[in-house]
Amino acid sequence: MQKTVFVFLSIQYLSIVSGCELLGKFNMPSLFEQGDIMIGGIFPVFNKEVSSTYTFESEPPGVNCAVFDLRAFRWTQAMIFAVAEINNDPAFLPNISLGYRILNSCSSPTNTLRAALTLAMPIVRDKCNFLEYFHHISLVFFFPPLQVSYFSTCACLSDRTKYPTFFRTIPSDYFQAKALAALVKHFGWQWIGAIQSDNDYGRNAILAFKQEVEKFGVCIAFVGSVLRTYTRDKILEAVEMIKQSTVKVILAFAPEGDFSPLMKEVVKQNITGIQWLGSEAWITAPQPSTPEIYTAFGGALGFVMQKMAIPKLKHFLTSISPHTDPHAPFVKEFWQIMVGCTPVLPGVHADTEDTTKRCTGNETLMNSEHVFFNVTELRVTYNVYKAVYAIAHALHQLVFCQSVGAKTVNPCVNLSEIQPKEFGDKVFFDENGNPPASYEIINWQMTNGKVQHVTLGNFTSNLTTSHQSCKKEQNKRHSDVLSVCLCFRFKKNLCTSRYTIQPFYLSSTGAADCTPCPKEYWSNDRKDECIPRTIEFLKYHEPMGIALTLVSLLGASLSLATMVVFINYRETPVIKASNFELSSFLLFSLFLCFLCPLTFIGMPTVWTCMLRHTAFGVTFALCISCVLGKTIVVVTAFKATFPGNKVAGQFGHAQQRIIVCSCTLIQIVTCVLWLTLNPPYPHMLFTYSNRMIALECNTGSEFAFYAVLGYIGILAIICLILAFMARKLPDNFNEAKLITFSLLIFCAVWITFIPAYVSSPGKFTVAVEIFAILSSAFGLLICIFAPKCYIIFLKPEKNTKKWVMGKSINNYFHTCIQCQSFFHS
């Protein structure tokens, strides 16, 4: 027994009812290919003609279905192509062929209904049996066939109680309304207007949009209605509403055909200065995308489905020819548009009133550059392609009780046993009948006089799903075993915490598949839903962040305070003996070191990640370079033990500055190369915890990171060795002991830091690094400068040249050129 499906796709019997003579028939031309299972398609290949001279005075726009739509024709060819692909694929439906019957809807509700009934009604041939005929009529209306829509976005169709057999490969307008509301919030628009198509599509979408924007305090000034069958008076009412309002942002939720009359009137009346927001039904449509319309609607923003490619489709499209099947509907009109001539076909009567150019028969589409053949950026066409494949997958699962690609393929159901209602339950979508919502945001721009649609980015909204209880009775009968259980069944120990149970086909064992959650999600305790992980990083407002910030600011304040003390007491012996210039440089570098931890706190960004490591590397290199300069001065001053030795004199202020600048410059060059070649960047760490994502800064180049740390370590070790050599020089004046002790603390902190850094999880890694920075900075500040401040404030009697020189300094005084320079009056 033959079956049929339509896209708007349905499964239904084509029964033979005899004994009746037809009073009439629809006589709708169709593209047709016979198959064991028939798929029906309804597409607006022709649109109602809207004449440019039409006055809109009384009658609705044209009644002739005469405007050929290239885009819709490509949809029909995508369906035919998909059916051919599936029939040629041995993995799909072996020994079963798919066929199709494609009808034109003329973008009219009445024509669409006629086409749907033509596809779904039984074929009547010989004689009538009224009861049987009525039975099949009731099947159509009370047990509607499976429908898979490629373009119906109305959120109302997601109601499973009203539309149990309706599915689609395009997201619901519910998600688009949320996206548009988010767009309005993003730009801060508070006073906007709305235009809706006067049908379920427009009314439901605007209602959902209003509910969303009201949460953000946005007011909608007016809601105007449009429809392709409206008279001009009604169109002018909507236009007048726009003119009288002060809004500068208007959302239009309407199909291309409904919105087009209003667009033309807006252009005619030169209404400009309005930011238009468009629904997916018209934002990329060809009819409004003209230079004329651009004058008023340029810069319109809207959301559309993401673009996809069907590479093999191009060859199929370029092979279309009226000579292949002279009687095929729609092809002649397509050929006239693409080639520019009317084909002369055998057995086809030529219209005597047709004055268009006649084809020679040598024309070809193989080298055509028309946009019709661009199959790399398909939206609705890809939805049609997906719809056919969705049905093929469902049919395969139904007939063979296993998914496509399984090794053993044995039918478990006879085609004659398939019931209409049962078939509708087999297509695998979510329980609301929708695929995941995914859109691209589109902007209108004009380039070289042509309107282009430019993709600005993507918008994705995760579906929220509900679950029901699966009844045990579902396992009793074979037909129920094959049904989709639209609930989430959880079995203990079946799935780990990284997985959830998906809606599944019941098998003979009752087993379910574990579906992994996306990386950013984790399953809840019942394992029936994926929930977002907590993103973790060291925040300013948490206790640890507050404590580290306060300690950091305390260290910076102490450094500045110490610098003020040194400036005020710079003429005293203690300050002179400690080399005022190098001490000031060192205090300034310590001030910067204490501020470095502030870049480690807060959400990592590209800039903070680059700043935190390089700022730390440069400031600490400057700090240790200053300590190195002080150490070299002390060593050279007190190691020049012979009269006339000029070694100490060679390290004056200029040489000290050269040491500090050159040592720091090496680190700066290293950091510049690091940022140029492979800089640090924000990174999500998923392996840290089941329920958390650690947001951290990846070092980028590990070699550069360790080179920066290693260079600071080399400077510190050199300082430590030199200071250790000078530790036994005269006590009162000698800084070498203080420097030695401070560098011992510095090295101990950073040696301890390495294992603690590696073993600390998440935000504690950053906390350990901040602790190491603060500890080493405090070690240098306290060990080197606290004794001097102690003498200045608490022991001023020791702040004299005699005490600083010390008792044993007389043995060295004449050879200490550097010391003499410190106390030279």
Side-chain angles (χ1 to χ4, degrees):
M1 187 174 290
Q2 198 181 61
K3 306 285 174 184
T4 189
V5 189
F6 66 30
V7 180
F8 220 43
L9 301 185
S10 70
I11 296 290
Q12 191 51 271
Y13 288 110
L14 289 182
S15 300
I16 298 175
V17 182
S18 60
C20 178
E21 182 180 344
L22 286 175
L23 295 176
K25 57 181 181 179
F26 285 153
N27 191 27
M28 300 185 75
S30 64
L31 293 168
F32 181 82
E33 179 72 31
Q34 185 63 49
D36 298 323
I37 296 178
M38 298 295 293
I39 301 180
I42 301 176
F43 301 94
V45 183
F46 287 92
N47 288 315
K48 287 184 177 180
E49 183 177 19
V50 181
S51 173
S52 59
T53 60
Y54 178 68
T55 61
F56 293 92
E57 294 296 343
S58 56
E59 296 298 325
V63 294
N64 294 325
C65 191
V67 180
F68 188 78
D69 191 330
L70 277 176
R71 186 170 67 150
F73 180 72
R74 185 167 64 181
W75 300 344
T76 68
Q77 299 308 301
M79 177 178 168
I80 296 172
F81 173 74
V83 169
E85 264 195 347
I86 292 166
N87 284 337
N88 293 329
D89 189 344
F92 275 101
L93 300 170
N95 301 320
I96 299 174
S97 64
L98 293 181
Y100 57 82
R101 188 181 183 193
I102 297 173
L103 301 175
N104 172 36
S105 71
C106 199
S107 292
S108 160
T110 53
N111 271 31
T112 303
L113 181 58
R114 286 179 64 191
L117 290 174
T118 300
L119 291 172
M121 292 281 284
I123 296 175
V124 181
R125 293 185 179 173
D126 295 327
K127 58 181 180 178
C128 281
N129 180 314
F130 178 77
L131 290 177
E132 185 178 358
Y133 187 81
F134 180 78
H135 168 70
H136 288 289
I137 290 290
S138 66
L139 277 179
V140 174
F141 287 99
F142 298 103
F143 301 99
L146 169 68
Q147 303 165 58
V148 183
S149 177
Y150 56 90
F151 207 45
S152 299
T153 59
C154 182
C156 59
L157 295 171
S158 296
D159 190 338
R160 270 280 160 269
T161 59
K162 292 182 180 179
Y163 311 104
T165 59
F166 179 85
F167 301 92
R168 51 187 161 194
T169 55
I170 187 172
S172 161
D173 282 329
Y174 169 76
F175 303 105
Q176 187 176 187
K178 289 189 69 173
L180 287 165
L183 191 68
V184 169
K185 179 188 177 184
H186 174 76
F187 287 108
W189 294 322
Q190 296 294 319
W191 181 242
I192 65 174
I195 299 293
Q196 67 182 16
S197 184
D198 195 8
N199 50 34
D200 285 344
Y201 169 75
R203 288 190 291 266
N204 282 281
I206 292 298
L207 178 62
F209 175 77
K210 287 177 67 176
Q211 291 173 347
E212 286 297 319
V213 294
E214 284 173 358
K215 299 175 184 177
F216 310 135
V218 178
C219 295
I220 297 181
F222 64 84
V223 178
S225 296
V226 293
L227 205 62
R228 71 185 68 203
T229 56
Y230 270 5
T231 62
R232 187 168 187 266
D233 289 339
K234 285 193 174 183
I235 297 296
L236 289 176
E237 286 179 11
V239 174
E240 196 62 29
M241 199 179 293
I242 296 171
K243 290 169 64 177
Q244 291 180 1
S245 176
T246 58
V247 299
K248 296 299 179 184
V249 180
I250 300 178
L251 167 64
F253 231 112
E256 171 189 4
D258 289 350
F259 192 47
S260 182
L262 178 70
M263 296 179 88
K264 293 177 180 178
E265 196 61 40
V266 167
V267 171
K268 181 179 178 181
Q269 298 194 27
N270 196 27
I271 301 173
T272 58
I274 293 175
Q275 174 62 58
W276 289 91
L277 304 179
S279 63
E280 93 297 337
W282 70 268
I283 197 64
T284 58
Q287 187 176 340
S289 303
T290 61
E292 177 194 9
I293 297 297
Y294 185 85
T295 57
F297 290 84
L301 288 171
F303 287 93
V304 294
M305 293 78 65
Q306 287 183 308
K307 295 175 287 192
M308 298 298 292
I310 310 176
K312 295 180 182 179
L313 180 61
K314 182 175 182 179
H315 177 74
F316 181 83
L317 295 177
T318 55
S319 65
I320 299 172
S321 171
H323 303 287
T324 305
D325 182 2
H327 299 281
F330 318 140
V331 177
K332 175 184 173 182
E333 291 80 4
F334 166 73
W335 195 260
Q336 287 175 331
I337 293 174
M338 301 304 296
V339 181
C341 63
T342 301
V344 180
L345 303 172
V348 178
H349 177 68
D351 189 351
T352 55
E353 297 181 0
D354 189 359
T355 58
T356 57
K357 176 185 174 184
R358 302 296 178 185
C359 296
T360 64
N362 298 322
E363 293 81 6
T364 179
L365 302 175
M366 298 306 294
N367 299 318
S368 176
E369 297 296 329
H370 195 280
V371 68
F372 178 86
F373 302 106
N374 181 3
V375 295
T376 61
E377 299 181 345
L378 303 175
R379 302 183 194 279
V380 182
T381 305
Y382 191 74
N383 286 345
V384 175
Y385 184 75
K386 284 192 298 183
V388 178
Y389 266 89
I391 288 180
H393 275 278
L395 283 169
H396 190 98
Q397 178 74 37
L398 172 69
V399 175
F400 298 99
C401 297
Q402 55 189 2
S403 57
V404 176
K407 292 182 179 179
T408 353
V409 181
N410 295 312
C412 60
V413 173
N414 192 298
L415 290 182
S416 61
E417 296 176 1
I418 300 175
Q419 300 299 318
K421 180 66 174 175
E422 182 186 347
F423 204 139
D425 292 336
K426 298 303 176 292
V427 177
F428 184 72
F429 292 86
D430 70 32
E431 62 268 33
N432 293 321
N434 300 312
S438 183
Y439 294 94
E440 285 181 345
I441 181 169
I442 293 293
N443 177 240
W444 279 16
Q445 297 181 12
M446 179 175 279
T447 306
N448 299 325
K450 294 182 179 180
V451 179
Q452 296 180 345
H453 305 108
V454 180
T455 301
L456 301 182
N458 295 328
F459 174 88
T460 304
S461 176
N462 292 320
L463 290 170
T464 56
T465 56
S466 60
H467 54 85
Q468 307 167 357
S469 298
C470 291
K471 298 179 181 178
K472 295 180 180 179
E473 289 76 11
Q474 287 179 316
N475 289 324
K476 289 183 178 180
R477 289 183 9 213
H478 179 68
S479 59
D480 287 331
V481 172
L482 295 173
S483 299
V484 176
C485 177
L486 292 176
C487 72
F488 294 91
R489 171 173 297 196
F490 171 66
K491 290 192 173 185
K492 292 182 180 180
N493 303 321
L494 178 63
C495 296
T496 66
S497 55
R498 291 192 299 112
Y499 292 78
T500 56
I501 305 297
Q502 66 176 359
F504 58 92
Y505 293 102
L506 292 176
S507 66
S508 57
T509 61
D513 295 328
C514 298
T515 302
C517 294
K519 281 188 176 181
E520 294 81 6
Y521 291 80
W522 205 256
S523 60
N524 60 0
D525 292 336
R526 290 163 50 182
K527 308 295 185 299
D528 61 359
E529 185 182 4
C530 291
I531 55 177
R533 293 191 191 187
T534 303
I535 296 180
E536 183 189 69
F537 57 89
L538 187 59
K539 303 177 182 68
Y540 279 104
H541 54 77
E542 62 179 292
M544 184 164 36
I546 293 172
L548 292 174
T549 301
L550 292 176
V551 174
S552 178
L553 294 176
L554 174 64
S557 302
L558 289 176
S559 300
L560 288 179
T562 306
M563 186 180 293
V564 171
V565 170
F566 267 55
I567 292 172
N568 289 334
Y569 291 90
R570 63 183 177 276
E571 298 300 329
T572 62
V574 167
I575 303 301
K576 284 186 175 182
S578 65
N579 194 330
F580 173 73
E581 183 174 297
L582 281 180
S583 296
S584 299
F585 271 124
L586 178 56
L587 286 169
F588 175 71
S589 63
L590 284 172
F591 169 74
L592 297 178
C593 290
F594 281 116
L595 293 182
C596 276
L598 299 181
T599 63
F600 287 77
I601 305 174
M603 177 177 286
T605 64
V606 174
W607 289 105
T608 57
C609 284
M610 291 193 295
L611 179 63
R612 64 171 57 171
H613 290 104
T614 53
F616 154 72
V618 172
T619 54
F620 265 86
L622 174 62
C623 179
I624 302 302
S625 298
C626 294
V627 176
L628 178 62
K630 291 173 70 71
T631 307
I632 292 175
V633 168
V634 172
V635 171
T636 54
F638 287 98
K639 286 297 182 180
T641 56
F642 297 100
N645 193 313
K646 298 181 180 181
V647 175
Q650 294 176 357
F651 289 92
H653 293 295
Q655 286 73 26
Q656 296 164 22
R657 293 169 191 156
I658 291 173
I659 291 173
V660 173
C661 292
S662 59
C663 291
T664 308
L665 183 61
I666 294 173
Q667 187 76 305
I668 292 174
V669 171
T670 305
C671 290
V672 169
L673 291 174
W674 184 8
L675 295 180
T676 304
L677 300 177
N678 192 3
Y681 58 90
H683 172 69
M684 285 186 176
L685 184 64
F686 295 96
T687 57
Y688 155 54
S689 167
N690 289 350
R691 300 184 180 274
M692 291 186 182
I693 302 173
L695 191 58
E696 61 181 13
C697 283
N698 190 296
T699 56
S701 171
E702 290 190 5
F703 175 80
F705 175 68
Y706 289 114
V708 167
L709 286 181
Y711 180 71
I712 295 172
I714 290 171
L715 291 180
I717 291 171
I718 294 172
C719 286
L720 181 60
I721 293 172
L722 292 176
F724 185 79
M725 290 169 56
R727 73 190 185 284
K728 293 185 178 180
L729 296 177
D731 293 344
N732 294 350
F733 178 75
N734 183 18
E735 279 189 307
K737 288 184 178 179
L738 303 179
I739 293 173
T740 302
F741 189 59
S742 66
L743 288 174
L744 284 172
I745 295 175
F746 183 91
C747 293
V749 167
W750 285 101
I751 291 172
T752 308
F753 158 79
I754 294 173
Y757 179 83
V758 172
S759 61
S760 299
K763 64 182 179 181
F764 298 103
T765 304
V766 179
V768 167
E769 194 166 358
I770 293 175
F771 178 80
I773 292 172
L774 294 176
S775 300
S776 53
F778 270 113
L780 292 171
L781 177 67
I782 293 172
C783 291
I784 295 177
F785 295 100
K788 297 175 179 56
C789 292
Y790 173 78
I791 291 173
I792 290 171
F793 291 113
L794 300 180
K795 297 291 183 178
E797 67 275 8
K798 294 184 178 180
N799 194 2
T800 61
K801 182 187 296 186
K802 180 178 179 182
W803 185 86
V804 171
M805 297 284 289
K807 295 181 180 179
S808 58
I809 195 63
N810 294 325
N811 297 330
Y812 297 92
F813 181 77
H814 293 291
T815 62
C816 185
I817 300 172
Q818 186 66 39
C819 293
Q820 293 177 33
S821 68
F822 288 159
F823 302 107
H824 182 68
S825 59

